[in-house]
């Protein structure tokens, strides 16, 4: 299952409570073979500051609807995700 923009996913937090998020974008990095996604809380108010969360993910072969999410630990990965986010924001502002 390829994730689509504006798709919604449920992500549990550390205590197991589930939260609904809207997918902003996904991208793959050919050099590493990893896939990444950026999400925002779906219940966010218009006037609230947007908090973006990013994860490395892998699709589960046995069930196309399941994803395994992994935290982004390295500074190098964070810089790459931030660069993609800034690029997409710039493109959106120029349209």
């Amino acid at each position: 299952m390829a994730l689509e923009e504006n798709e919604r996913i449920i992500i549990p937090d550390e205590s197991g409570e589930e939260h609904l998020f809207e997918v902003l974008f996904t991208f793959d990095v050919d050099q590493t073979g990893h896939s990444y996604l950026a999400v925002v809380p779906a219940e966010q108010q218009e006037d609230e500051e947007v908090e973006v969360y990013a994860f490395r993910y892998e699709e589960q072969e046995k069930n196309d609807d399941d994803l395994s999410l992994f935290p982004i630990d390295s500074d190098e990965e964070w810089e790459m995700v931030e660069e993609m986010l800034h690029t997409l924001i710039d493109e959106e502002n120029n349209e």
Side-chain angles (χ1 to χ4, degrees), residues 40-53:
V40 292
E43 289 86 26
Q44 195 160 274
Q45 300 296 318
E46 289 276 330
D47 57 344
E48 284 184 317
E49 185 176 318
V50 176
E51 187 161 0
V52 178
Y53 299 88

Side-chain angles (χ1 to χ4, degrees), residues 60-79:
Q60 298 299 311
E61 292 181 20
K62 59 186 172 215
N63 187 346
D64 285 344
D65 290 336
D66 282 345
L67 299 175
S68 292
L69 299 179
F70 303 94
I72 298 174
D73 296 323
S74 75
D75 290 339
E76 187 177 288
E77 280 184 303
W78 270 117
E79 289 171 11

